[in-house]
Amino acid sequence: MTTSVGTPTTLDLGPATGLSCRECGHRVPLAAEFACGECFGPLEVSYDFGAVRREDIEAGPRSIWRYRRLLPVPSDVDSHPNTDPGCTRLVRADRLAAELGVRRLWVKDDTGNPTHSFKDRVVAVALAAARTLGFTVLACPSTGNLANAVAAAAARAGWESVVLIPSSLERAKVLTTAVYEGALIAVDGNYDDVNRLATELAAEHEDWAFVNVNVRPYYAEGSKTLGYEIAEQLGWRLPSQVVVPVASGSQLTKVDKAFRELGELGLVEPTPYRVFGAQATGCAPVSAAFKAGQDVVAPVRPSTIARSLAIGAPADGPYVLDAVRRTNGAVEDVTDEEVVEGIRLLARTEGIFAETAGGVTVATAKKLIETGQLDPDAETVLLITGDGLKTLDAVADRVGPRATVAPSAAAVRAALGF
Ligand SMILES: *Cc1c(COP(=O)(O)O)cnc(C)c1O
Ligand SMILES: [Zn+2]
C-alpha cells in the first residue's frame, strides 16, 4: 500500500504522493494529468498512508472528510466551502430481504447527499483537489447527477461552472442544475459525444477543472468513501457481497479499492467479499463482456430509461471486469421494465424512492439471486445511488391515486372497498 513517487511534491494533497499508470506503472508527480505519457493508460493516485486509526476517523466530521487521511485532499479540507457530502444512512432492509429471499440485506441510501446522488462525493473531492492544483472553474460532461453536483459545489465555493449535458436529459435534472446559475450547455448528442467534447475543451482551457476528465484521478477516489462508510457503519467490518451500479465503472472499482485498503491498513479484518455490477440491458457493455468471458469492453449505443448509467464506452469497464472476477462476483443486466419494478419494490418494502439507477441495482440483485449467482445466505449491501424525484417519468404512468372521490367519509370508505 505504501507507495511514493521519485519526485517530491510541494502540493498538500494529504496522503497522496503522486500519480501512477494503471497499465504500465509509470509514475508522475501530483498534477492535473489523467493519461499516462508512456502508454496513454489511466493515471491513479498513489499514497503513503502511514498509520491511520479508527479513533481518528470516528473523531472526524460527519461527512466524507472524516476519511481525509485516505483521500487526495489537503489536511485543512474542511475549512474550505464545499458540499460536505457523505455519512448517508445504511438501512437494514428486512422487508426487501424477505421479498428477495435473502437473509441479511442492507441498503446504502445515497439519496441523502446534498444534491441527492453519490456524485456529491466525487465532486467534493475533485473540488478540493482542483483548488490545491490551482483551478478556478469547475466543469463536467454529465448524464445528469454530476451536473447537479458540479453546479451546486461551484456555487457554494464561489466558483464558476461549465456543465455540458446531452439535450435529451430528463427535465428534472436540467432544472436542478440550472437553478444554481452556472453555465449550463445542452449539446445535441448522446453522453459519449458530450464526453468527447469535454476532453477537447479541457485541453484548450487550462483553468477549467473537468472533474471527470482532467482531474479524474482525484475525482474517482471520492467513490472510495462509499466503501469506507459501509464498513464503518457495519461496525468496522466488510460485507460479504455488494451490488454496485455501473456507468463508467469508476464507482465499482473504488468501492473494491476501499475494502482492500481498509483490510491492508488493519482498520477491518480482511474478510473475503464479492463485488457485483449492475447495468441496464439497454446499455450493458460491461455485462456483455463479462458474460462473453472477454477482457475488452466493446462500446454500445445506449437506449435505456436509466440515463444516469447510459455510458456506452465505459472508461473503467476493463477494471470492473478485473474486480468482479478477482472477487468471484458477476455483472448482470436488467430490462427497463425490470428497472421500474425494482424502483417500486424498494419503495413499497423500504420506503426509499430511488431513481432509475437504484431500480437497476435492486432488479439486478433480484436476478442475481434468482439465477443463483448471489448467495442468499451471505450478508449483502445494495448501493442506492440516486433519488427518484429526479426521474419521476420512470414511474409516472404506473402509480397514482387509487381513486378521486368527493370530500365525504363515505366516498373514501367506498373507494377503500368497505
Ligand atoms: C454516475 C452514477 C453512477 C455510476 O457511476 P460510475 O462511477 O460512472 O460507474 C451510479 N449511480 C448514479 C445515480 C450515478 O449518477
Ligand atoms: Zn502507462
Side-chain angles (χ1 to χ4, degrees):
M1 182 56 35
T2 302
T3 49
S4 58
V5 287
T7 322
T9 171
T10 53
L11 291 174
D12 174 14
L13 285 172
T17 53
L19 300 174
S20 63
C21 174
R22 291 195 72 155
E23 290 299 324
C24 76
H26 178 68
R27 287 175 178 179
V28 294
L30 293 167
E33 288 184 45
F34 60 103
C36 174
E38 304 288 314
C39 77
F40 300 109
L43 296 175
E44 186 173 41
V45 177
S46 317
Y47 297 95
D48 184 351
F49 289 130
V52 181
R53 301 174 313 156
R54 289 180 187 172
E55 304 82 74
D56 297 332
I57 294 170
E58 288 166 351
R62 279 198 58 78
S63 73
I64 59 169
W65 306 133
R66 67 203 282 106
Y67 308 109
R68 68 172 172 74
R69 291 173 187 80
L70 303 168
L71 296 171
V73 296
S75 19
D76 65 347
V77 65
D78 49 354
S79 67
H80 296 282
N82 206 318
T83 56
D84 307 335
C87 288
T88 58
R89 348 181 256 166
L90 182 70
V91 180
R92 177 79 188 239
D94 288 339
R95 280 171 42 77
L96 179 59
E99 284 266 347
L100 295 178
V102 302
R103 286 209 307 148
R104 274 192 305 167
L105 186 68
W106 299 86
V107 166
K108 180 61 172 165
D109 180 12
D110 242 19
T111 67
N113 279 312
T115 70
H116 313 285
S117 86
F118 105 99
K119 288 294 197 302
D120 291 311
R121 298 174 181 274
V122 281
V123 170
V125 172
L127 171 62
R131 182 185 280 115
T132 306
L133 293 166
F135 288 96
T136 55
V137 177
L138 208 58
C140 70
S142 172
T143 58
N145 286 316
L146 188 60
N148 291 173
V150 163
R156 182 153 167 71
W159 285 30
E160 284 176 30
S161 61
V162 178
V163 170
L164 307 175
I165 52 170
S167 55
S168 66
L169 207 63
E170 297 99 322
R171 186 175 146 82
K173 284 180 179 164
V174 176
L175 297 181
T176 52
T177 304
V179 73
Y180 301 107
E181 295 193 7
L184 172 63
I185 309 290
V187 178
D188 282 325
N190 65 19
Y191 176 75
D192 296 292
D193 299 323
V194 177
N195 197 32
R196 261 194 306 280
L197 188 58
T199 307
E200 193 182 324
L201 287 165
E204 289 162 17
H205 298 270
E206 290 195 341
D207 51 342
W208 294 9
F210 275 92
V211 295
N212 52 343
V213 182
N214 52 344
V215 293
R216 187 175 179 85
Y218 307 95
Y219 158 96
E221 295 294 290
S223 285
K224 292 194 305 178
T225 61
L226 269 168
Y228 300 149
E229 274 176 34
I230 290 168
E232 185 180 354
Q233 288 170 315
L234 287 173
W236 292 111
R237 58 186 183 82
L238 302 180
S240 303
Q241 306 179 119
V242 60
V243 185
V244 189
V246 173
S248 73
S250 176
Q251 179 181 163
L252 183 144
T253 64
K254 297 299 176 173
V255 168
D256 167 54
K257 187 180 182 189
F259 288 168
R260 261 186 296 141
E261 285 176 351
L262 292 177
E264 286 164 6
L265 287 164
L267 290 165
V268 300
E269 201 58 45
T271 50
Y273 59 87
R274 301 169 70 198
V275 182
F276 295 85
Q279 295 207 293
T281 305
C283 182
V286 187
S287 176
F290 177 79
K291 290 175 184 175
Q294 287 160 355
D295 295 330
V296 290
V297 175
V300 300
R301 181 170 290 271
S303 170
T304 168
I305 59 168
R307 297 207 196 124
S308 57
L309 302 181
I311 297 183
D316 290 294
Y319 305 114
V320 168
L321 294 172
D322 288 348
V324 161
R325 288 180 177 139
R326 193 191 72 249
T327 63
N328 195 25
V331 189
E332 189 51 272
D333 57 271
V334 288
T335 65
D336 283 2
E337 189 61 36
E338 291 171 301
V339 172
V340 175
E341 283 313 308
I343 293 173
R344 297 179 64 187
L345 176 60
L346 179 65
R348 80 169 169 266
T349 54
E350 298 298 338
I352 297 170
F353 183 22
E355 71 145 84
T356 45
V360 169
T361 299
V362 172
T364 297
K366 185 166 188 277
K367 189 167 177 181
L368 288 166
I369 294 158
E370 286 166 0
T371 52
Q373 300 179 81
L374 195 130
D375 178 358
D377 294 323
E379 184 173 54
T380 303
V381 177
L382 307 183
L383 265 55
I384 300 303
T385 48
D387 196 314
L389 289 173
K390 293 192 205 180
T391 58
L392 286 174
D393 284 351
V395 294
D397 56 1
R398 309 294 179 92
V399 298
R402 194 178 291 183
T404 304
V405 302
S408 82
V412 173
R413 279 194 290 270
L416 292 173
F418 294 166

